[in-house]
Amino acid sequence: MTKFSDLNLAPKVLKAVEETGYETPTPIQAGAIPPALEGRDVLGIAQTGTGKTAGFVLPMITMLARGRARARMPRSLVLCPTRELAAQVAENFDTYAKHVKLTKALLIGGVSFKEQDKLIDKGVDVLIATPGRLLDHFERGKLLLTGVQIMVVDEADRMLDMGFIPDIERIFSLTPFTRQTLFFSATMAPEIERITNTFLSNPARIEVARQATTGENIEQCVVMFKASRRDREASEKRKLLRALIDGEGDKCTNAIVFCNRKVDVDIVAKSLKKYGYDAAPIHGDLDQSQRTRTLDGFREGSLRFLIASDVAARGLDVPAVTHIFNFDVPGHAEDYVHRIGRTGRAGRDGKAMMICIPRDERNLGDIERLVEKEIPRMENPLQSGGAPETSEQVEEKPKTTSRRRSSKSTEAKPDYKPEAKQDNKPEAKPENRPEVTQDNKPEAQASTKPRNDRIRRGSDRGQDRGGKKVVGLGDHMPGFIAMSFEDRRGT
Ligand code: AMP
């Protein structure tokens, strides 16, 4: 078996590795470190949890230990899709470079440009960044990428999902042609293949088995669930989630609950909290300090349930998660692999449970095709699809009509959840793009129609006039209110 000492790492790096207590390199480390140290490009097909971060950080530190940084010209660049992942890569540098003099800067959204500029001005060996923020700095003329000798692209498949590929291509073109590239992706979508063919030169290709297909230590199951009534689906699903958690008892010491949409992340966290579970949300609309606080609490064990969206959970390194609860079936099959890969890490046992409502069955089929096995069906612990309404459920409904109507009330939204597949669109907010509710847009748009339907049921208010939808409040209203949007725009 390969040992760290066989890998040609600098003695000071080896010392830091020893101090972490890791004894043997993981397969991605054993495969990627030697060619990286030889100066070759590396294509690592591996996901989070495989030890891939150290797979590029260790050789980088060894190589960067020689030479010095110049002002505004970083010597190496690590691109990550999310702030959390970038912060975690930075932590890895701190851990493994503690006996080496190395400067680094973290360029992520939510942190002031001024502080970041200061660091860059001094000169850094390693720049760890999200693509948007990096280009912002570049465009402000504060950064030169012509000194980059090593460039790492981490979680490229996630970059693709988040629409970062054009940014990545641009960044590649701003760095020297002679740079060394270390490129990591959990999957090789055609677009990723194209990028690697364009920007990598004869890379050493290291592929480690997917956790979902090999992770025998992760017990998986799915509950097929049909709500008793469509408008109760959201609250019944939350009740089922509580039953699943309770069913695991003490075995569930901590868990991540994944929802597809940010709005549901908030609702589920709030609801669990209300029922006495120690839960907190994490998603892209929360400010950075809150995200960091929540994550720290979860890592330290003071928070038991982390309710997360796919993007926010990216790069989360929490070694001791016992359970993953998929409140929603993810819209992209690969996300299932990523999600459940959060449990069963480093040889521990883990359990992944999922709730599947009828309209998610197609996505479930996609997942089963990807992982090449059927996910065992589990009996609904509430015993029937439509559990009788209890006082609990009544309590969960928004309490007042005004709350329902409020456009800001996220609580009310699930009631208007449309059938549309776009519901399952995962949170895919490119880092540093306006924080606006971009991701929630489909929901906001789709919610309009059922809302009108509700109004119609009660009276003929809001009915179509002249084939055009009317915006108004009643029948005895001034003519201008009864005009359609289009007409009003024309005036
Ligand atoms: P990563 O895939 O980089 O997110 O790493 C997943 C987890 O594996 C992290 O908690 C690392 O600290 C841990 N890890 C990294 N390298 C090793 C190793 N050689 N042996 C055991 N655990 C490791």
Side-chain angles (χ1 to χ4, degrees):
M1 195 189 280
T2 316
K3 296 198 289 283
F4 276 111
S5 53
D6 300 332
L7 296 179
N8 271 336
L9 291 163
K12 287 180 179 174
V13 176
L14 272 180
K15 188 169 175 233
V17 172
E18 255 168 48
E19 285 164 7
T20 60
Y22 301 146
E23 284 166 4
T24 44
T26 63
I28 189 76
Q29 291 163 359
I33 294 173
L37 286 173
E38 283 167 21
R40 284 188 65 185
D41 282 359
V42 170
L43 172 57
I45 304 165
Q47 63 179 74
T48 308
T50 54
K52 68 177 167 54
T53 317
F56 62 81
V57 170
L58 298 178
M60 280 177 83
I61 301 172
T62 299
M63 293 188 282
L64 293 168
R66 289 160 273 173
R68 277 190 56 207
R70 288 164 59 192
R72 282 197 269 163
M73 291 179 73
R75 297 166 67 206
S76 67
L77 176 62
V78 182
L79 292 174
C80 303
T82 65
R83 300 169 187 182
E84 278 76 17
L85 185 58
Q88 200 168 289
V89 169
E91 272 173 32
N92 268 259
F93 272 99
D94 290 341
T95 306
Y96 299 120
K98 64 179 171 189
H99 304 301
V100 181
K101 207 161 173 272
L102 213 62
T103 51
K104 66 162 183 13
L106 184 59
L107 298 193
I108 52 175
V111 178
S112 91
F113 277 97
K114 220 168 148 194
E115 288 301 307
Q116 298 177 338
D117 283 345
K118 249 198 246 164
L119 285 170
I120 297 170
D121 279 348
K122 274 198 237 155
V124 289
D125 295 303
V126 187
L127 192 59
I128 304 155
T130 48
R133 189 61 168 224
L134 181 86
L135 287 172
D136 286 348
H137 275 273
F138 180 79
E139 269 145 26
R140 291 164 80 243
K142 297 284 180 187
L143 185 64
L144 283 169
L145 295 175
T146 45
V148 171
Q149 296 154 22
I150 309 168
M151 173 163 157
V152 178
V153 179
D154 198 10
E155 310 232 347
D157 50 338
R158 179 57 45 171
M159 303 262 199
L160 175 68
D161 284 351
M162 295 171 75
F164 276 150
I165 294 299
D167 286 354
I168 299 293
E169 289 190 72
R170 170 134 190 257
I171 296 166
F172 264 125
S173 69
L174 296 172
T175 59
F177 174 67
T178 51
R179 64 157 200 271
Q180 179 183 6
T181 309
L182 311 176
F183 192 99
F184 293 84
S185 184
T187 53
M188 286 301 285
E191 185 67 354
I192 304 278
E193 194 94 46
R194 182 184 70 76
I195 299 284
T196 57
N197 289 340
T198 312
F199 295 103
L200 271 65
S201 159
N202 185 28
R205 185 180 168 118
I206 298 104
E207 185 161 1
V208 301
R210 246 191 218 130
Q211 263 174 314
T213 47
T214 57
E216 305 302 335
N217 54 336
I218 304 175
E219 186 187 340
Q220 301 169 53
C221 59
V222 57
V223 183
M224 308 307 288
F225 170 71
K226 190 170 187 305
S228 62
R229 266 179 27 191
R230 186 62 199 282
D231 61 352
R232 290 187 187 156
E233 185 177 274
S235 67
E236 288 182 1
K237 246 177 120 180
R238 291 195 291 271
K239 189 176 184 209
L240 174 55
L241 172 68
R242 295 195 297 276
L244 292 176
I245 293 173
D246 295 346
E248 291 303 296
D250 293 343
K251 280 184 284 171
C252 178
T253 50
N254 63 350
I256 305 178
V257 178
F258 281 99
C259 301
N260 288 357
R261 302 178 308 159
K262 285 189 265 191
V263 67
D264 290 327
V265 168
D266 277 331
I267 294 168
V268 170
K270 212 166 164 181
S271 154
L272 282 174
K273 247 176 30 204
K274 198 173 76 181
Y275 284 97
Y277 299 79
D278 180 21
I282 181 159
H283 60 67
D285 280 351
L286 300 172
D287 74 45
Q288 190 58 36
S289 62
Q290 195 177 347
R291 279 157 61 156
T292 309
R293 250 196 332 273
T294 302
L295 274 185
D296 286 349
F298 192 60
R299 280 205 192 100
E300 289 158 11
S302 56
L303 175 71
R304 188 170 166 219
F305 294 100
L306 185 70
I307 322 304
S309 61
D310 290 292
V311 169
R314 219 59 207 149
L316 250 192
D317 177 26
V318 199
V321 174
T322 59
H323 285 69
I324 295 297
F325 294 96
N326 283 303
F327 183 74
D328 300 305
V329 176
H332 294 299
E334 291 81 14
D335 284 337
Y336 179 76
V337 179
H338 288 300
R339 289 180 181 188
I340 74 161
R342 311 271 143 189
T343 184
R345 283 189 169 196
R348 292 183 179 89
D349 285 336
K351 190 159 182 181
M353 308 177 93
M354 181 155 69
I355 300 174
C356 179
I357 53 173
R359 66 176 179 279
D360 284 346
E361 279 172 24
R362 184 137 44 104
N363 290 335
L364 176 63
D366 289 345
I367 291 170
E368 291 181 322
R369 263 187 298 283
L370 180 74
V371 301
E372 292 170 347
K373 70 175 179 191
E374 194 191 8
I375 301 172
R377 272 44 176 179
M378 177 193 166
E379 210 181 303
N380 183 340
L382 300 174
Q383 277 179 344
S384 70
E389 185 158 328
T390 64
S391 55
E392 287 182 343
Q393 285 166 341
V394 173
E395 209 189 314
E396 277 208 349
K397 286 181 182 164
K399 284 171 188 123
T400 61
T401 32
S402 62
R403 216 160 147 208
R404 237 168 222 275
R405 274 201 211 117
S406 159
S407 60
K408 280 194 183 135
S409 166
T410 49
E411 282 279 317
K413 282 181 182 169
D415 293 345
Y416 306 111
K417 208 153 98 178
E419 283 272 359
K421 196 160 183 289
Q422 59 200 14
D423 257 3
N424 289 331
K425 193 172 170 257
E427 180 190 1
K429 178 180 65 61
E431 192 72 11
N432 301 323
R433 295 289 179 269
E435 286 274 353
V436 221
T437 51
Q438 195 178 320
D439 302 331
N440 294 332
K441 239 190 215 157
E443 196 214 3
Q445 286 163 352
S447 65
T448 318
K449 191 173 174 293
R451 224 171 264 186
N452 285 346
D453 287 349
R454 286 172 63 83
I455 294 166
R456 252 183 238 136
R457 242 181 278 138
S459 75
D460 65 352
R461 289 173 181 181
Q463 70 191 11
D464 288 357
R465 291 175 197 234
K468 289 175 180 170
K469 208 168 276 167
V470 168
V471 178
L473 301 170
D475 300 317
H476 308 289
M477 57 192 161
F480 77 92
I481 291 180
M483 285 166 73
S484 74
F485 256 135
E486 287 78 4
D487 292 344
R488 282 207 278 166
R489 260 194 221 121
T491 58

